[in-house]
Amino acid sequence: MAEVLDITKEEQAAIRSAYEDMIASLRTPFSQEDREQMDRAFKLANYSHRHQRRKSEEPYIFHPIAVARICAEEIGLGPTAICAALLHDVVEDTPVTIEELQDDFGERIAQMVNGLTKLDSAYQSESKQAENFKKVLSTLIVDVRIVLIKMADRLHNMRTIKSMPEHKQLKIAAETSYIYAPLAHRLGLYNFRSEFLDLCMKVLERDEYNAVARKLQETKAAREKYIESFIAPLRPKLDELGYPYRIFGRPKSIYSIANKIKKKQVPFEQIYDLFAVRIIVDVPREKEKLAAWASYSAVTDAYQAVPSRLKDWITIPKSNGYESLHTTVVGPDARFVEVQIRSERMNEIAERGFAAHWKYKGISNQRDVYEQWFESVRDILENPNSDTVQFLGDFRANSFFNEEVYVYTPDGDMKALPKGSTALDFAFSVHSMVGYHCQSILCDERIVPMSYVLRNGDRLKVNTNPHQKPNPNWLDMVKTGKARAKIRQSLKEEKRQQGELAREALQRKLKKLHVEDERAAVELISRHFTEGSHVDLYYEIGQETLTIPQVLKPFTVEHGKLVPAAPPQPQIQEKESESRNRRSGAARPKGTTRLLINGEPGDQLEYTMASCCNPVQGDQVFAYLTSNAGLKIHRVICPNAENLMANYDYRIMKAEWVSTTQHSFVAELKLTGLDSGKGVVERISHEITQMDLDIRSFQIAAESGTFTARISLLVRNTDQLLLAGRALQNLDNVSTVSRVE
């Protein structure tokens, strides 16, 4: 190996040490030949990345070594995957080629590295992130280890995200929350999912994260003391059973605690289930169920159980392989405590998901839950022309659900579907063709609508008709990604057939105009009229919604190429600009600059505040360049933010507030409380008036002795909004005050 450049002797020693530590962390046994291959992979990666450093200024090679260590230590992958992890960036970032890797390391490792290499930057797509992720996911069917290495890569990037500029942090965190957390959940990597969501929250909801983390730290000693007092009466009862066991308290993630605070609208002090107590029994597989229920009996002998909170995922495991027995009991001081009971095998699967499941795959009667899911992913991937952004949405719908509903076919076969799934989802889960030709559905021998929401224990039968086919309304009736993808595929094929004559007519017209590259011309036209969809373009021409002269009007032919026509005259542009300014005036009051966008004063650009999240000065925000409405300013925690940042990062711009109090912003608060009759509206209005705030709108509704009010206020910044919320919260009979996101 040639001399390594740009790296000091001290750094080289640290690199070697990190590599040896990674090798020591391998859980699986390996041969001398495996060790030699890993050493060769390390040497090639170390040499190839010798000129590169990360944003933190450390040599780049530390990243592949860290990814390999996560694969070895936290997922439990073997030597082949470790080689691929060490080499995962060499093709993308250095002159090394896939062919060279194939010659040096064989086809399997080269295939894995190729699956981890992003698509070429010249690849044309509306969303490169979606395309890249689709490429990685397509390898799931070939070799699941590729996806597991990708997860380790993203986890290390999230752990070291602090060294990135803030606007880059926002994009990476949003993409992680939108794509990688659901994937971790679906592959049963609960530790990964939990850490992903915590790290994303640390970036996207900084203040809320820090507040919960600080409270957890402050209450740590009291919490540990309580856990010990809870466990003490259980130990003798568990000892009597005679099974080897471990029992300990485990704090819940910051994300899950913050989520509870948000959902329940209560302060941290009123959230009691900040931790779960876990009992892990070490018994052979055939005794697992018996030992788990015996342990459950010991717990409920010591403490009163809450019947509605019993979850038996041992008898029927979750669809991602998770097995455990969960119950909630009333502990000391009348506090609810969640207890999780499982075997060592179940615990390994719960923590390492698919990687651990693979180890037990050969055991008889092991239900291969992942193969069923791979099949559904294969169905979504099946259509090569599917829109990648829609594909991501379908994939998320297929992946990120916590609760399931269990229903049965007429033959008694059980199917697990996401909670909220409909009878039509069930039809598609049986088989794609059953879904396509579904005419009616019987639930327990009575006909139900296709939109019927499934309940546990339903027994369903699907009646089909070969002449039946999906229609656009079906998309509103389904929840699962598979059903959605199949319906879209069918509708697209129908549109394609109906637009065939229009396609031929447009091609003839382009030939008459002497356009040489017809494909590029159609791409240009479809981007202008139908957001890049050729099928929709031909369909609309076929339906006469658009005409061929209309679609050609914005373009002209130059040297055999179709190009955009010359822009309108300046004076027309000025009129349009004035019109737009008038339209956006309400959303952006006139005055001095209050935003910097990509470092430039905001008053030099046209922007409006997004109505979906109503940003207020002081909120974490970003700018999004829309296709037809200029720049929109969104809050980082806007309901649409994840989708925008994960799919369209090239349209995202950095935005930051300039300190000023000359402007007012619209913010909406939601109040709930006890309806004490007359005077509720007056008291709330009086409190707002006392704070010298203007009310834009006020809606209130009372039902069963409680009221819900939504109030739009004009405020100057988040501090003023926070004070308003606190003042309203202190009013008699007001239970909760929350900002409408």
Side-chain angles (χ1 to χ4, degrees):
M1 189 178 83
E3 184 187 354
V4 175
L5 307 173
D6 295 347
I7 294 176
T8 66
K9 283 185 179 179
E10 291 82 2
E11 286 173 335
Q12 199 57 256
I15 290 167
R16 169 54 66 176
S17 174
Y19 173 69
E20 292 299 338
D21 288 346
M22 184 275 294
I23 294 291
S25 72
L26 267 163
R27 291 188 183 187
T28 53
F30 56 91
S31 64
Q32 183 58 35
E33 190 182 342
D34 290 331
R35 173 68 202 240
E36 286 168 7
Q37 189 177 48
M38 288 188 286
D39 287 347
R40 285 192 296 113
F42 166 63
K43 284 178 183 174
L44 177 59
N46 195 17
Y47 181 73
S48 301
H49 292 300
R50 67 193 183 281
H51 296 304
Q52 295 173 301
R53 287 183 180 267
R54 302 191 82 209
K55 292 282 183 189
S56 60
E57 295 300 319
E58 70 176 7
Y60 191 86
I61 186 64
F62 278 114
H63 169 65
I65 294 171
V67 172
R69 182 162 182 166
I70 293 170
C71 289
E73 193 172 27
E74 299 181 47
I75 304 178
L77 298 180
T80 306
I82 297 306
C83 289
L86 289 167
L87 297 166
H88 80 270
D89 275 335
V90 295
V91 173
E92 191 175 317
D93 296 341
T94 78
V96 177
T97 64
I98 287 290
E99 291 70 29
E100 288 170 340
L101 289 185
Q102 191 159 335
D103 292 342
D104 291 348
F105 296 94
E107 190 175 340
R108 175 61 71 187
I109 289 174
Q111 183 187 44
M112 291 168 80
V113 173
N114 187 40
L116 291 158
T117 302
K118 288 179 185 158
L119 293 164
D120 189 275
S121 58
Y123 188 88
Q124 291 301 309
S125 168
E126 179 67 8
S127 174
K128 288 189 175 62
Q129 295 100 307
E131 286 286 1
N132 280 317
F133 185 72
K134 188 175 181 181
K135 181 194 175 192
V136 171
L137 203 61
S138 64
T139 65
L140 190 77
I141 319 303
V142 181
D143 191 333
V144 75
R145 290 175 297 181
I146 300 172
V147 173
L148 295 173
I149 296 167
K150 187 69 181 173
M151 300 291 281
D153 177 38
R154 179 51 61 116
L155 185 59
H156 185 248
N157 283 334
M158 285 301 298
R159 285 173 178 174
T160 56
I161 199 170
K162 265 192 169 181
S163 55
M164 302 291 287
E166 188 180 350
H167 66 289
K168 286 269 182 71
Q169 289 186 32
L170 294 179
K171 292 177 189 178
I172 294 167
E175 188 182 34
T176 303
S177 175
Y178 190 77
I179 297 170
Y180 290 93
L183 180 56
H185 176 81
R186 207 59 191 76
L187 287 170
L189 297 166
Y190 280 89
N191 289 352
F192 274 49
R193 174 188 181 260
S194 185
E195 192 172 349
F196 275 146
L197 292 173
D198 269 11
L199 292 170
C200 289
M201 187 184 176
K202 199 172 183 178
V203 173
L204 300 172
E205 299 179 69
R206 210 167 32 212
D207 295 343
E208 290 85 346
Y209 177 92
N210 290 336
V212 174
R214 190 172 57 251
K215 292 276 189 183
L216 280 175
Q217 192 56 42
E218 288 169 1
T219 58
K220 187 179 179 185
R223 200 166 58 248
E224 287 173 352
K225 188 178 176 184
Y226 184 86
I227 289 170
E228 200 45 56
S229 70
F230 178 87
I231 289 174
L234 296 179
R235 290 189 193 277
K237 293 182 179 294
L238 292 168
D239 290 340
E240 281 176 27
L241 299 176
Y243 301 120
Y245 71 91
R246 296 185 284 141
I247 183 168
F248 53 90
R250 186 183 175 93
K252 294 199 173 177
S253 71
I254 290 175
Y255 172 84
S256 69
I257 293 168
N259 230 18
K260 276 195 169 72
I261 290 170
K262 205 178 283 184
K263 277 184 183 171
K264 294 186 176 180
Q265 291 291 306
V266 294
F268 177 91
E269 289 72 22
Q270 288 180 33
I271 301 286
Y272 293 120
D273 48 347
L274 299 171
F275 55 86
V277 169
R278 191 170 289 173
I279 299 169
I280 301 174
V281 289
D282 189 3
V283 294
R285 179 161 181 143
E286 61 273 12
K287 290 188 177 177
E288 285 177 344
K289 197 169 178 180
L290 182 67
W293 282 106
S295 303
Y296 169 80
S297 180
V299 171
T300 53
D301 281 349
Y303 296 110
Q304 175 66 48
V306 180
S308 62
R309 301 279 286 272
L310 174 63
K311 303 282 185 185
D312 177 9
W313 286 307
I314 293 179
T315 307
I316 302 175
K318 285 190 176 185
S319 59
N320 59 6
Y322 181 83
E323 295 177 74
S324 191
L325 188 60
H326 288 201
T327 186
T328 298
V329 297
V330 183
D333 304 327
R335 289 171 63 175
F336 281 16
V337 178
E338 184 184 335
V339 181
Q340 302 169 353
I341 305 166
R342 58 180 73 149
S343 68
E344 290 287 359
R345 178 192 67 84
M346 293 172 191
N347 192 56
E348 193 177 2
I349 288 176
E351 294 195 340
R352 290 174 46 228
F354 181 85
H357 164 84
W358 194 258
K359 177 177 165 182
Y360 302 101
K361 192 173 187 286
I363 298 172
S364 59
N365 300 324
Q366 172 69 18
R367 188 166 77 98
D368 196 352
V369 292
Y370 291 100
E371 187 50 45
Q372 295 173 27
W373 181 63
F374 291 168
E375 193 63 46
S376 68
V377 172
R378 199 178 284 122
D379 285 334
I380 298 173
L381 286 162
E382 208 172 68
N383 182 9
N385 300 316
S386 66
D387 175 273
T388 46
V389 176
Q390 277 185 351
F391 160 78
L392 267 194
D394 292 342
F395 170 76
R396 275 171 54 81
N398 224 40
S399 302
F400 211 173
F401 49 87
N402 288 312
E403 292 189 64
E404 293 167 320
V405 61
Y406 301 97
V407 295
Y408 297 85
T409 67
D411 297 332
D413 294 332
M414 189 186 75
K415 287 199 167 287
L417 291 159
K419 191 171 182 181
S421 294
T422 62
L424 189 55
D425 281 307
F426 170 80
F428 276 97
S429 76
V430 173
H431 193 279
S432 298
M433 298 312 292
V434 173
Y436 282 144
H437 301 305
C438 170
Q439 186 173 46
S440 64
I441 300 169
L442 275 71
C443 175
D444 298 326
E445 302 304 320
R446 61 187 177 86
I447 289 183
V448 293
M450 290 184 184
S451 57
Y452 167 78
V453 177
L454 301 176
R455 293 184 293 193
N456 278 323
D458 281 346
R459 191 178 180 118
L460 298 123
K461 180 184 177 185
V462 182
N463 295 320
T464 58
N465 181 332
H467 303 295
Q468 175 73 306
K469 54 189 176 182
N471 65 61
N473 293 334
W474 283 21
L475 286 170
D476 297 327
M477 296 184 199
V478 293
K479 181 184 178 76
T480 60
K482 176 182 177 178
R484 200 174 288 278
K486 289 297 178 186
I487 293 166
R488 282 207 191 98
Q489 195 175 329
S490 172
L491 295 174
K492 206 162 192 175
E493 181 56 28
E494 186 79 13
K495 275 187 173 182
R496 192 191 65 73
Q497 290 174 6
Q498 291 183 25
E500 195 59 31
L501 290 174
R503 183 179 69 82
E504 291 171 7
L506 182 58
Q507 282 179 339
R508 285 197 300 273
K509 184 65 178 174
L510 291 171
K511 272 183 185 170
K512 277 186 185 177
L513 294 170
H514 306 293
V515 173
E516 292 166 9
D517 190 346
E518 288 178 15
R519 188 170 179 173
V522 172
E523 184 67 34
L524 191 65
I525 295 167
S526 64
R527 279 183 180 278
H528 189 277
F529 286 98
T530 54
E531 296 184 348
S533 170
H534 297 200
V535 172
D536 287 349
L537 176 69
Y538 297 138
Y539 177 76
E540 290 195 21
I541 294 172
Q543 297 295 306
E544 298 183 355
T545 310
L546 289 170
T547 64
I548 289 177
Q550 268 181 301
V551 299
L552 292 172
K553 191 175 180 182
F555 307 99
T556 186
V557 180
E558 290 180 8
H559 310 298
K561 285 185 177 179
L562 196 72
V563 295
Q569 294 301 310
Q571 61 266 30
I572 298 173
Q573 279 187 321
E574 285 166 15
K575 285 178 184 174
E576 288 178 351
S577 176
E578 286 168 14
S579 168
R580 284 198 301 268
N581 284 338
R582 280 197 298 274
R583 286 200 303 273
S584 64
R588 179 159 70 100
K590 293 179 181 178
T592 56
T593 301
R594 65 171 189 269
L595 271 175
L596 287 178
I597 299 174
N598 271 5
E600 298 289 325
D603 58 2
Q604 294 179 12
L605 303 161
E606 184 187 332
Y607 66 86
T608 55
M609 297 297 164
S611 57
C612 50
C613 56
N614 289 327
V616 169
Q617 184 177 294
D619 286 330
Q620 270 184 281
V621 291
F622 66 93
Y624 174 70
L625 182 61
T626 63
S627 53
N628 56 8
L631 284 167
K632 292 271 187 187
I633 308 301
H634 289 264
R635 293 174 69 195
V636 165
I637 57 169
C638 168
N640 299 314
E642 269 187 10
N643 177 37
L644 298 177
M645 288 194 273
N647 287 314
Y648 306 105
D649 82 323
Y650 60 95
R651 293 185 177 188
I652 303 294
M653 297 184 192
K654 180 182 173 185
E656 49 196 336
W657 298 103
V658 176
S659 183
T660 173
T661 56
Q662 295 177 17
H663 301 286
S664 292
F665 304 80
V666 176
E668 192 171 358
L669 293 176
K670 179 183 175 185
L671 283 68
T672 63
L674 293 172
D675 182 10
S676 56
K678 292 179 182 178
V680 172
V681 174
E682 186 186 344
R683 282 196 297 277
I684 294 171
S685 303
H686 177 72
E687 191 64 36
I688 293 168
T689 307
Q690 288 289 97
M691 290 181 283
D692 198 25
L693 295 176
D694 289 334
I695 299 174
R696 286 283 297 271
S697 68
F698 192 135
Q699 295 173 302
I700 189 164
E703 186 180 356
S704 305
T706 63
F707 74 85
T708 302
R710 291 173 81 103
I711 308 167
S712 281
L713 300 173
L714 281 174
V715 295
R716 287 190 289 277
N717 50 43
T718 49
D719 289 341
Q720 196 176 34
L721 184 61
L722 186 65
L723 289 172
R726 282 179 184 164
L728 292 169
Q729 181 81 66
N730 290 333
L731 288 175
D732 290 342
N733 298 333
V734 172
S735 304
T736 67
V737 179
S738 59
R739 183 174 173 186
V740 178
E741 302 295 355

